[in-house]
Amino acid sequence: MRITLWGFAMARQVQMSFDYNACFKEIYYSLYSNSNASRAESIVSDVSKILLFKLLSEQDKSINIENCSGKSIMAHLAQVLHERYSKSEKFHLSDDNINDVLRALTLINLSSAPSHIIGDAFQSIIGARIRGDKGQFFTPKELVECMVSIIQPRSDEFIIDPACGTGGFLSESISQMRGDGSTYRLIGIDKDRDMSDMALATTKIISGDHTRIYNDNSLEILKEKSTLHNLVGQADVVLTNPPFGAKIGVTDESILRLYEFGYNWTYSASDKKWYRLNTLVKNQAPQMLFLELCVRLLKDGGRMAIVLPEGMFGNKSLGYIWEYLREHGRVFAMIDCPRNTFQPSTDTKTNVLFFEKGKPFSEDVFVAVAKQCGHDKRGRTTTQSNEPWPNDFKAISDSFRSKEKGMWKTVKLEGAYFVPRYLVGKLEYKGKDNYISIGELIKRGHLIKKSSKEIGSEAYGTGDIPFIRTSDINNFEISADPTNSVSEDVYAQYAAQQNLEVGDILFIADGRYRIGKTAIITPYNIKCLIQSHIEILSLRASAPFTPYEFLYCLNSDEVQEQIRDMVFIQSTLGTLGSRINEVAVPIPVRTPEWDEKIHAFQKNIETRAECLFNLRETEHSFDL
């Protein structure tokens, strides 16, 4: 290992600009393969301490970094950072490992390194390696830069990140404030010791003594005896991506009772208002409490940018969140993030909320929708043609600072749903005469939604009658070989309820990625049962479409785009729900060209359905 790391550093001495990312990755992989510390968190925590020691040696030339021991390094750290480290703390790495790392860092001058590059390099080795089992997922650099750019922190402002992780928001704030004075006041807090060690290393390298990092539970700040209680109501800016997830819910009553969101709430339909009850919830998702904490950390006029799971924007039962925000200030902007923003670490869909405390509430809110985030779902940052992966976040932040705000739309923050792309999509087809919504078709008696039903897994495999699930719908047709089939008895129990007819449209309304896919019932596939995630849409003779025209229009690019805007992601599962009624479908103008197109469309589907039926019948008649 020693030869590998030293050789690596020397090989890069000839480069015009030092490759920090590659150097840090080499250090990590060498330690992972050759040291006794195989846990990613332990390795990165120890490297954090070594970085801090290296920084101290650059500032104090009397410190000798040759042939160091873990014990001597901890003694130096405890002397300078006594509030954080003690002499008794131990390294996971051996002394030989420690000296190998110091040799690999010989060519790096941390004191003069570019402001953000150490943090970027450090995060490049940890992002995909430290698991998110505590709800911690590192915010991609592209999104961090965008959020900080929109908030525009100034050097005379007090900035807090109560879930700082490795300090990405703090580091980027410093980077963007460079040249605007030098009176930075930044505080980062993280409950995880390893995370806070990393944040301490990266921010101290970048900002010196202008940043304070605390290893503490931020949710306890509201306790009057907390050492950080004096932060309440003091922040000019809060920038954060809190831990989120139902599996790490807060159950400690001593914490829950500190928060409005630690209690149950109820909605009064007569008052059209939410009321807080006096009973505590049994379990509250941490992001809920962090949102309230961030609001309470702000002073009047303070600004916040926070990453939140989409479920908080599109769940009617959480309407009290938005009422709380209305009472304490104004939401001035929101960004809809691509689903792959935090992939490959997690599939959780997120959005960003921008808030200003103490300002009069306004229903008018700026909203932007990012479709690309600088990497694909596997984390690759370049395309197959070796071009940088598109990054809408950069264009969105640049647009926000311009007078035109080209990528931003002004929407009304009203109703029950606040998912950004949904609010933008509602503007597009509102009041268009040549469109009719599915809800309006139902209201006029042109369409009936029939119910499907889950039959229970115990019925699977009991016979040969197809039970159609979302995975069985492809290319406008039902699979000839579905995953599950049921018996005649099960079919007889449910067939009358769903009442399928030739020409009925099957529309996937819930699931992960297939929402909006459709199929049509033909004489050849009518004998089947339908899963509850699939809506059955049955046109009446009075409808302004034939079934095949309706199927064709539902699959047009404009309608599919609408559907994507209306799908809300709860955790990792998508749902369209009652918003299917809002889908606006273009009413066809019947021309010879249109009639010819639909005739060919219908003929292809019916011919294929007949062929699939005949193949299935042939398969069942094989007799050797």
Side-chain angles (χ1 to χ4, degrees):
M1 171 184 165
R2 187 172 306 166
I3 294 174
T4 302
L5 285 177
W6 180 243
F8 175 89
M10 291 301 294
R12 279 158 176 74
Q13 193 169 15
V14 298
Q15 293 186 4
M16 295 282 293
S17 61
F18 194 87
D19 192 342
Y20 293 88
N21 280 27
C23 179
F24 277 47
K25 284 182 178 179
E26 178 76 6
I27 289 171
Y28 173 83
Y29 284 124
S30 295
L31 291 174
Y32 191 86
S33 300
N34 297 284
S35 72
N36 292 327
S38 60
R39 184 170 171 261
E41 291 92 333
S42 301
I43 294 173
V44 177
S45 180
D46 280 1
V47 172
S48 300
K49 297 182 182 73
I50 297 172
L51 281 172
L52 281 171
F53 176 69
K54 174 70 162 55
L55 179 64
L56 293 177
S57 72
E58 293 173 6
Q59 297 169 346
D60 182 354
K61 300 301 182 183
S62 66
I63 297 176
N64 183 5
I65 65 170
E66 294 185 5
N67 299 318
C68 292
S69 66
K71 186 176 181 180
S72 65
I73 289 178
M74 288 311 307
H76 281 292
L77 293 180
Q79 181 179 358
V80 179
L81 300 167
H82 56 85
E83 75 283 359
R84 185 56 176 271
Y85 296 113
S86 69
K87 295 180 180 180
S88 60
E89 289 187 51
K90 296 182 179 179
F91 274 81
H92 302 90
L93 299 174
S94 69
D95 289 347
D96 284 343
N97 294 148
I98 290 169
N99 283 285
D100 286 339
V101 175
L102 285 169
R103 272 187 284 273
L105 295 173
T106 299
L107 298 181
I108 300 179
N109 189 312
L110 299 177
S111 302
S112 60
S115 62
H116 62 87
I117 201 158
I118 295 294
D120 291 347
F122 211 30
Q123 192 151 310
S124 74
I125 69 172
I126 59 181
R129 292 173 184 84
I130 295 183
R131 299 175 298 152
D133 53 2
K134 300 176 185 177
Q136 301 158 309
F137 298 103
F138 298 108
T139 317
K141 182 178 69 172
E142 295 82 2
L143 181 54
V144 171
E145 291 173 347
C146 175
M147 291 168 63
V148 175
S149 177
I150 290 172
I151 285 292
Q152 289 190 292
R154 300 187 303 272
S155 62
D156 61 343
E157 291 186 315
F158 182 25
I159 303 167
I160 298 178
D161 182 350
C164 68
T166 59
F169 284 111
L170 302 177
S171 299
E172 182 60 28
S173 295
I174 296 166
S175 178
Q176 293 195 24
M177 291 188 296
R178 290 284 181 178
D180 184 21
S182 59
T183 58
Y184 316 122
R185 290 186 301 150
L186 301 97
I187 282 183
I189 310 162
D190 203 281
K191 184 178 180 180
D192 188 288
R193 175 62 188 265
D194 294 329
M195 295 293 103
S196 61
D197 278 352
M198 297 175 216
L200 179 61
T202 55
T203 57
K204 189 168 183 62
I205 288 168
I206 294 169
S207 72
D209 293 327
H210 296 300
T211 305
R212 293 285 182 270
I213 302 296
Y214 296 93
N215 175 214
D216 213 331
N217 183 356
S218 295
L219 294 179
E220 295 186 349
I221 287 176
L222 297 186
K223 292 182 177 179
E224 292 185 2
K225 293 182 179 180
S226 167
T227 55
L228 300 176
H229 184 70
N230 63 336
L231 298 178
V232 177
Q234 299 301 308
D236 294 288
V237 170
V238 172
L239 287 154
T240 196
N241 171 21
F244 42 77
K247 294 181 179 179
I248 56 169
V250 178
T251 58
D252 186 339
E253 291 189 2
S254 69
I255 292 179
L256 291 173
R257 64 170 51 98
L258 299 170
Y259 292 86
E260 297 288 292
F261 296 167
Y263 290 80
N264 290 296
W265 288 68
T266 186
Y267 182 73
S268 170
S270 58
D271 296 345
K272 295 183 179 180
K273 186 175 177 62
W274 286 90
Y275 291 96
R276 200 204 84 178
L277 303 177
N278 291 324
T279 56
L280 291 173
V281 298
K282 292 182 179 179
N283 186 319
Q284 186 58 285
Q287 65 268 19
M288 298 279 291
L289 303 183
F290 266 98
L291 174 59
E292 181 181 341
L293 172 64
C294 291
V295 173
R296 294 171 72 171
L297 286 173
L298 290 172
K299 63 172 61 171
D300 278 352
R303 310 178 307 288
M304 169 180 71
I306 183 171
V307 180
L308 295 169
E310 184 160 288
M312 293 179 68
F313 294 77
N315 190 332
K316 284 184 177 180
S317 67
L318 299 180
Y320 59 90
I321 293 175
W322 298 88
E323 191 153 308
Y324 179 89
L325 292 173
R326 285 187 180 99
E327 290 176 355
H328 290 83
R330 70 180 183 106
V331 175
F332 65 88
M334 297 190 295
I335 297 177
D336 200 290
C337 299
R339 186 161 184 174
N340 61 320
T341 299
F342 284 85
Q343 290 177 339
S345 298
T346 177
D347 193 31
T348 301
K349 172 73 174 67
T350 59
N351 298 316
V352 182
L353 177 76
F354 296 87
F355 176 82
E356 190 171 13
K357 187 173 182 180
K359 296 296 182 181
F361 173 76
S362 171
E363 288 184 345
D364 292 331
V365 177
F366 287 118
V367 170
V369 179
K371 295 184 178 179
Q372 301 286 351
C373 61
H375 65 264
D376 66 5
K377 64 182 181 181
R378 295 183 181 178
R380 294 175 294 199
T381 57
T382 56
T383 64
Q384 289 184 341
S385 57
N386 208 31
E387 294 292 325
W389 200 271
N391 171 25
D392 289 342
F393 289 130
K394 177 68 165 64
I396 284 172
S397 60
D398 290 346
S399 177
F400 188 83
R401 295 197 306 272
S402 69
K403 292 182 179 179
E404 293 78 16
K405 287 189 168 51
M407 293 193 70
W408 296 80
K409 304 288 185 183
T410 301
V411 302
K412 295 289 185 184
L413 199 63
E414 57 187 7
Y417 300 125
F418 307 103
V419 174
R421 67 184 178 284
Y422 169 73
L423 296 175
V424 171
K426 284 180 69 174
L427 299 175
E428 190 72 22
Y429 298 94
K430 193 173 183 179
K432 285 193 174 181
D433 294 335
N434 57 329
Y435 286 77
I436 187 169
S437 70
I438 289 177
E440 189 64 24
L441 287 170
I442 295 171
K443 183 179 178 181
R444 297 182 186 182
H446 299 325
L447 184 146
I448 297 173
K449 274 199 299 184
K450 301 175 182 177
S451 61
S452 50
K453 187 175 178 66
E454 289 297 332
I455 60 174
S457 59
E458 65 275 5
Y460 297 170
T462 56
D464 297 322
I465 298 171
F467 174 62
I468 306 306
R469 303 176 58 152
T470 58
S471 58
D472 298 318
I473 292 179
N474 285 290
N475 303 320
F476 315 112
E477 68 189 12
I478 295 172
S479 172
D481 184 23
T483 305
N484 295 302
S485 296
V486 300
S487 67
E488 289 282 353
D489 289 342
V490 174
Y491 174 73
Q493 182 180 352
Y494 296 105
Q497 174 185 313
Q498 65 179 25
N499 189 27
L500 284 180
E501 302 174 63
V502 171
D504 284 354
I505 307 297
L506 305 185
F507 182 107
I508 299 176
D510 295 290
R512 287 180 68 84
Y513 296 103
R514 300 186 48 75
I515 296 175
K517 301 297 182 183
T518 54
I520 191 166
I521 296 296
T522 70
Y524 305 103
N525 59 22
I526 191 170
K527 191 171 184 179
C528 63
L529 292 178
I530 310 299
Q531 184 189 35
S532 62
H533 292 336
I534 301 170
E535 296 278 8
I536 304 170
L537 307 179
S538 184
L539 288 174
R540 304 294 88 183
S542 60
F545 313 87
T546 68
Y548 281 93
E549 286 177 330
F550 190 50
L551 179 66
Y552 188 92
C553 291
L554 284 174
N555 286 278
S556 65
D557 289 343
E558 56 191 313
V559 173
Q560 287 293 308
E561 182 70 22
Q562 282 185 68
I563 292 167
R564 284 191 288 272
D565 289 342
M566 294 177 182
V567 173
F568 298 169
I569 311 299
Q570 302 290 344
S571 184
T572 59
L573 294 178
T575 177
L576 183 59
S578 61
R579 293 175 298 284
I580 188 175
N581 294 339
E582 300 175 31
V583 175
V585 185
I587 300 172
V589 178
R590 292 189 173 87
T591 63
E593 293 78 14
W594 172 262
D595 291 340
E596 182 179 351
K597 183 187 295 184
I598 295 302
H599 176 74
F601 180 64
Q602 179 174 347
K603 182 179 179 181
N604 288 334
I605 290 176
E606 289 180 341
T607 300
R608 192 167 58 186
E610 182 180 6
C611 290
L612 288 170
F613 176 80
N614 291 334
L615 284 171
R616 192 163 186 244
E617 289 298 300
T618 301
E619 181 184 2
H620 289 167
S621 65
F622 285 159
D623 186 3
L624 299 178

